[in-house]
């Protein structure tokens, strides 16, 4: 990579992304939420039908020190 490409890549990695996930209480939505939480540097907004199961996903995501709402 050229110096310019390295700087551009560095900026892309450090930018915080906002990710909205529907269906985060189970299945694919839950898996996506957890995987994005593991990647760090993301702001997650989780939505789901089951309040109890959504709370579980929320707590798992928070355990990775990811900003989760």
């Amino acid at each position: 990579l050229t110096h310019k490409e390295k700087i551009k890549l560095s900026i892309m990695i450090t930018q915080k992304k906002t990710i909205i996930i529907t269906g985060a209480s189970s299945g694919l939505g839950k898996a996506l939420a957890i995987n994005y939480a593991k990647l760090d540097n993301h702001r997650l907004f989780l939505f789901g039908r089951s309040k109890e199961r959504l709370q579980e996903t929320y707590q798992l995501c928070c355990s990775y020190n990811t900003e989760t709402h």
Side-chain angles (χ1 to χ4, degrees):
L1 295 174
T2 67
H3 181 67
K4 187 176 180 179
E5 290 171 329
K6 287 179 185 177
I7 291 172
K8 188 175 181 179
L9 183 60
S10 172
I11 291 169
M12 288 174 57
I13 291 171
T14 58
Q15 289 178 335
K16 186 173 268 196
K17 306 272 191 248
T18 299
I19 300 169
I20 299 170
I21 300 175
T22 60
S25 56
S26 65
L28 182 60
K30 183 174 184 171
L32 284 170
I34 293 167
N35 282 317
Y36 276 117
K38 288 179 183 179
L39 292 175
D40 198 23
N41 207 28
H42 296 296
R43 182 181 304 115
L44 301 178
F45 287 86
L46 308 179
F47 297 90
R49 288 191 232 168
S50 170
K51 185 176 180 180
E52 294 80 21
R53 292 189 308 185
L54 188 59
Q55 186 66 28
E56 287 176 24
T57 306
Y58 170 82
Q59 289 174 349
L60 277 169
C61 291
C62 286
S63 72
Y64 293 105
N65 295 321
T66 298
E67 183 182 344
T68 309
H69 305 278

